[in-house]
Amino acid sequence: MSEDRRRAVLHAIVEGYVSTSEPVGSKALAETSHLGVSSATIRNDMAALEEEGLIAQPHTSAGRIPTDAGYRRFVDQVASAALHEPHKRAITTFLSDAVDLNDVVERSVRLLSQLTRQVAVVQYPSPRESAVRRVELVRIGVDRALVVVVSADARVEQGTVGLGHDVPEDEFETAARAINDVCVGRTPSELGPALAAWLQRNSHASWAAAVVDAVVAQAKGGTVERVVFAGTSNLARAANDFETDAIGPVLDALEEQVVLLRLLHEMAGEGRDVSVRIGMENGADAFARTSIVAAGYGSQGENVSLLGALGPTRMDYPGTMAAVRAVARYLSRIVETE
Amino acid sequence: MSEDRRRAVLHAIVEGYVSTSEPVGSKALAETSHLGVSSATIRNDMAALEEEGLIAQPHTSAGRIPTDAGYRRFVDQVASAALHEPHKRAITTFLSDAVDLNDVVERSVRLLSQLTRQVAVVQYPSPRESAVRRVELVRIGVDRALVVVVSADARVEQGTVGLGHDVPEDEFETAARAINDVCVGRTPSELGPALAAWLQRNSHASWAAAVVDAVVAQAKGGTVERVVFAGTSNLARAANDFETDAIGPVLDALEEQVVLLRLLHEMAGEGRDVSVRIGMENGADAFARTSIVAAGYGSQGENVSLLGALGPTRMDYPGTMAAVRAVARYLSRIVETE
DNA sequence: TTCTGGCACTCGCAACCTACGAGTGCTAAT
DNA sequence: ATTAGCACTCGTAGGTTGCGAGTGCCAGAA
């Protein structure tokens, strides 16, 4: 019983099931697949694969379909395919027209959903450590202020902060000017100490401390982590084939974002080029029947954000991995040079 | 043949079909509904209603279901219900915690999707005509600049503009300062002439004109019109009942936004308190089997944005209309006072 | 006129049955 | 280690049937 052939059988089963969405039987494999053995031999191999828990049969007289573990082994053994040349061109032309960070992210997520024909998710790039260009404080109503931080790398972060109680207009104005002066030219991590020192030098009312905190927060992280997604209709198309009722929880989880973000963080830690989570591996009930293919992107080795594709476990893994990797690469290049 | 009873029959059919999702027959109506007539009478009324094109039967031996026209008449004749007291409280508590314009919009859309159990859409409030607080120009790369406009009403708009060719650093800086000085304190509509005058006084290179245009654009409209939505899983739930394959195009149209925006614009023109589009009335193929309930909100009578709920034509119109109206009202109040 | 009871008729649907065939596991032969 | 053959399982498609919900129409009552 050649180990190599058993692997080939597993691969053939995965590929067959992915393309036809029907269980694949031993006879069909013997005919279409090019391993030169008879169906009986394949049956023996299948029995062994089933013993290992890599494939299963939905009912007694049906062919085999891969289990999560089967997909897992397949993915680990297959290198992601090369991307077709026209697709490569599509990526460059589509993304190079972007004028804006928002635009880049939005175009990327659409492109990825079209390439993979899955739901695509792109996490907003984590901000780089770059000098503050200007801090603007604008009074809103009597007890709130708007904090705007413009960084040298073209990022604009904004947020509001409560002032607690009435603050005289002129006092607010002078403090705003002073805070701006302290911040300009400093990197976010230098900001904390510098502003603390300023607070000590000028004994201000308590509201100033809150404002300072808000400024530091905006400069550091800025907007809350978030992901954008596109191509949810691909989910509906996939759900048409089999489980219609699995789509609701997935849509909910996508909107919720929090589960998805946790998963992406976990996957970021794995360090691989492209990482894949299959079915139950996700740990989340909503994604129990979906797989996620993700890759990091970003300017440095550090400081990565993630993007990926999400679809039914029965997906074209090599193709999806190739598309995800390619988009991640181009996106890295763009984020770097911007 | 009392006209009133025929109306009552139509209403009973709509309500029955909405709550059970099954065609409703004359016998069932005679028993459950409280019109004191026999099933035969109801059958006659039904025949008349069918003649008018208000109801139809899916097959010969089934009950009747309302047509688009039937829903339309029902909606026109029924005032939107009053909202339950706990729901009202939910709106106030849920929305009053918001800290931010983004936060308000996001909370609203979630709330509305929960109240209606439909897909909720909220259009970003159209900016008010309020004075410019500061204009910031930041160089990005060699031939692009970031334009940030902060308005007195706590809005921050940003965009990029191409500079065409190399511009000396000091020339850019002085121009940026000058542009800011010209803009501060002016309303967006005053901005155009003022900046044009400035351009004439100081004969600048061509790049300045592009920058000026960008500043005016950001001050006026700012970010492109867009809508956010939530509760797409409600679509999946509804699709479970009947047509699974109608959900894909709807999801696509939601992501595309452009069709939805056109529809909302059209509905804004109708001037009603709450306006309803039913099925084919939408004109868009994707929404041929869905209805949209929308209401305007905003600070003034002018200057309204829209929000609404979108679901299958077989929806609880009175309840949805009540929820949409209530959220629109509270949202108006919040946007006003902010 | 308007409503009601009665009756014949239609027809979708669920339940049931059956035959088919794809697919399997096992065993004996190569 | 592989293969051919064979008996067996079982899901599914196709066909048939009976039921019952629902209708339209008509004659008689209010």
Side-chain angles (χ1 to χ4, degrees):
Chain A
M1 68 155 88
S2 116
E3 191 63 39
D4 280 349
R5 197 193 51 230
R6 236 155 64 185
R7 179 179 314 181
V9 169
L10 174 61
H11 289 197
I13 290 175
V14 170
E15 277 156 13
Y17 183 60
V18 165
S19 64
T20 67
S21 88
E22 268 166 24
V24 16
S26 58
K27 189 178 288 182
L29 263 196
E31 285 162 8
T32 67
S33 170
H34 300 149
L35 0 132
V37 293
S38 80
S39 66
T41 310
I42 294 177
R43 274 204 290 283
N44 289 332
D45 290 338
M46 280 177 162
L49 289 171
E50 189 160 17
E51 188 74 20
E52 289 188 72
L54 299 177
I55 58 177
Q57 41 187 349
H59 10 263
T60 318
S61 77
R64 308 304 222 284
I65 63 174
T67 61
D68 284 2
Y71 284 123
R72 162 57 56 199
R73 178 159 308 176
F74 173 78
V75 166
D76 287 345
Q77 287 171 349
V78 173
S80 86
L83 208 60
H84 298 304
E85 195 49 47
H87 280 177
K88 279 191 179 173
R89 270 201 303 278
I91 294 177
T92 37
T93 58
F94 202 82
L95 291 188
S96 59
D97 286 351
V99 296
D100 197 306
L101 181 64
N102 275 324
D103 200 24
V104 168
V105 171
E106 214 151 287
R107 279 165 182 266
S108 300
V109 74
R110 291 217 183 144
L111 175 65
L112 190 54
S113 77
Q114 281 172 20
L115 287 179
T116 59
R117 301 182 64 83
Q118 310 282 2
V119 180
V121 295
V122 175
Q123 188 180 8
Y124 262 81
S126 44
R128 276 188 282 175
E129 184 84 346
S130 77
V132 170
R133 179 72 178 238
R134 167 145 194 109
V135 175
E136 189 78 18
L137 294 172
V138 180
R139 196 75 172 271
I140 326 170
V142 285
D143 62 347
R144 292 200 77 77
L146 176 73
V147 178
V148 181
V149 176
V150 182
S151 305
D153 64 344
R155 254 177 36 244
V156 179
E157 307 288 0
Q158 54 175 309
T160 62
V161 58
L163 298 180
H165 56 91
D166 286 3
V167 176
E169 188 62 35
D170 53 349
E171 187 181 330
F172 178 82
E173 284 299 333
T174 54
R177 235 185 307 271
I179 290 176
N180 176 60
D181 291 344
V182 171
C183 295
V184 168
R186 288 208 158 85
T187 68
S189 42
E190 297 166 2
L191 230 58
L195 283 170
W198 171 79
L199 263 182
Q200 283 215 321
R201 277 202 311 274
N202 318 40
S203 72
H204 272 287
S206 61
W207 62 267
V211 171
V212 162
D213 285 349
V215 169
V216 173
Q218 291 306 324
K220 278 243 175 73
T223 50
V224 196
E225 256 191 342
R226 68 197 185 94
V227 294
V228 294
F229 48 85
T232 47
S233 67
N234 290 322
L235 215 57
R237 185 176 44 74
N240 260 352
D241 296 347
F242 48 137
E243 311 166 65
T244 316
D245 50 345
I247 184 179
V250 175
L251 285 171
D252 270 335
L254 283 175
E255 280 183 11
E256 212 58 58
Q257 304 224 344
V258 54
V259 182
L260 193 59
L261 280 171
R262 182 173 58 72
L263 277 172
L264 289 177
H265 274 142
E266 287 176 20
M267 294 174 80
E270 289 170 12
R272 312 284 247 85
D273 180 19
V274 177
S275 52
V276 180
R277 288 288 186 99
I278 297 166
M280 302 288 281
E281 292 176 4
N282 288 311
D285 288 348
F287 295 140
R289 298 213 163 279
T290 62
S291 288
I292 305 178
V293 177
Y297 76 95
S299 40
Q300 328 277 23
E302 305 281 331
N303 224 1
V304 291
S305 301
L306 278 154
L307 94 194
L310 182 154
T313 46
R314 183 191 137 270
M315 71 158 62
D316 170 20
Y317 289 95
T320 307
M321 288 164 76
V324 167
R325 170 184 292 134
V327 173
R329 232 170 243 175
Y330 280 85
L331 202 48
S332 294
R333 200 176 303 169
I334 289 177
V335 172
E336 252 170 30
T337 60
E338 203 163 69
Chain B
M1 70 156 88
S2 118
E3 192 64 36
D4 281 350
R5 196 192 50 231
R6 237 157 62 187
R7 178 178 317 180
V9 170
L10 174 61
H11 289 197
I13 290 175
V14 170
E15 278 156 12
Y17 183 60
V18 165
S19 63
T20 67
S21 89
E22 269 166 23
V24 18
S26 58
K27 190 177 286 182
L29 261 196
E31 285 162 8
T32 67
S33 168
H34 301 149
L35 359 131
V37 293
S38 80
S39 66
T41 309
I42 293 177
R43 276 203 289 284
N44 288 331
D45 290 338
M46 280 177 163
L49 289 171
E50 188 160 18
E51 188 74 18
E52 289 188 73
L54 300 176
I55 58 177
Q57 41 187 348
H59 15 261
T60 317
S61 77
R64 308 304 222 285
I65 63 174
T67 62
D68 284 2
Y71 284 123
R72 161 56 57 199
R73 179 159 307 177
F74 173 79
V75 166
D76 287 344
Q77 287 171 350
V78 173
S80 87
L83 208 59
H84 298 304
E85 195 50 46
H87 279 178
K88 279 190 179 173
R89 270 201 302 278
I91 295 177
T92 37
T93 58
F94 202 83
L95 290 189
S96 59
D97 286 352
V99 297
D100 197 306
L101 182 64
N102 274 324
D103 200 24
V104 168
V105 171
E106 214 151 287
R107 278 166 182 266
S108 301
V109 74
R110 290 215 184 146
L111 176 65
L112 189 56
S113 78
Q114 281 172 18
L115 286 179
T116 60
R117 302 183 62 84
Q118 310 281 5
V119 179
V121 294
V122 175
Q123 188 180 8
Y124 263 81
S126 43
R128 276 188 284 175
E129 185 85 346
S130 78
V132 169
R133 179 74 179 236
R134 167 140 195 110
V135 175
E136 189 79 18
L137 295 172
V138 180
R139 195 75 171 270
I140 327 170
V142 285
D143 62 346
R144 292 199 78 75
L146 176 73
V147 178
V148 182
V149 176
V150 181
S151 305
D153 63 345
R155 254 177 36 246
V156 179
E157 306 288 1
Q158 54 175 308
T160 62
V161 57
L163 298 180
H165 56 90
D166 286 3
V167 175
E169 188 62 35
D170 53 349
E171 187 182 330
F172 178 82
E173 284 299 334
T174 55
R177 236 185 305 270
I179 290 176
N180 176 60
D181 291 345
V182 171
C183 295
V184 167
R186 288 207 159 86
T187 66
S189 43
E190 297 167 2
L191 231 57
L195 282 171
W198 173 79
L199 263 182
Q200 283 216 321
R201 276 202 310 277
N202 318 40
S203 72
H204 273 287
S206 61
W207 62 268
V211 172
V212 162
D213 284 349
V215 170
V216 172
Q218 291 306 324
K220 278 243 174 75
T223 51
V224 195
E225 257 191 342
R226 69 197 185 95
V227 294
V228 294
F229 49 85
T232 47
S233 66
N234 290 322
L235 263 185
R237 186 176 44 74
N240 260 352
D241 297 346
F242 48 138
E243 311 167 64
T244 315
D245 50 344
I247 185 178
V250 175
L251 285 171
D252 270 335
L254 284 174
E255 280 184 10
E256 211 57 58
Q257 305 225 343
V258 55
V259 183
L260 193 58
L261 279 170
R262 183 175 57 73
L263 277 172
L264 289 177
H265 274 141
E266 285 176 21
M267 294 175 81
E270 289 171 11
R272 311 286 246 85
D273 179 20
V274 177
S275 52
V276 181
R277 287 288 185 100
I278 296 166
M280 302 287 282
E281 292 175 5
N282 288 311
D285 288 347
F287 296 140
R289 300 215 162 279
T290 63
S291 288
I292 305 179
V293 177
Y297 75 95
S299 42
Q300 328 276 24
E302 304 283 328
N303 225 0
V304 291
S305 303
L306 278 155
L307 94 194
L310 183 153
T313 47
R314 182 192 138 271
M315 71 159 62
D316 169 20
Y317 290 95
T320 307
M321 287 164 77
V324 167
R325 171 185 290 132
V327 172
R329 232 170 244 174
Y330 280 85
L331 201 50
S332 294
R333 200 176 302 169
I334 289 177
V335 171
E336 251 170 30
T337 60
E338 204 162 67

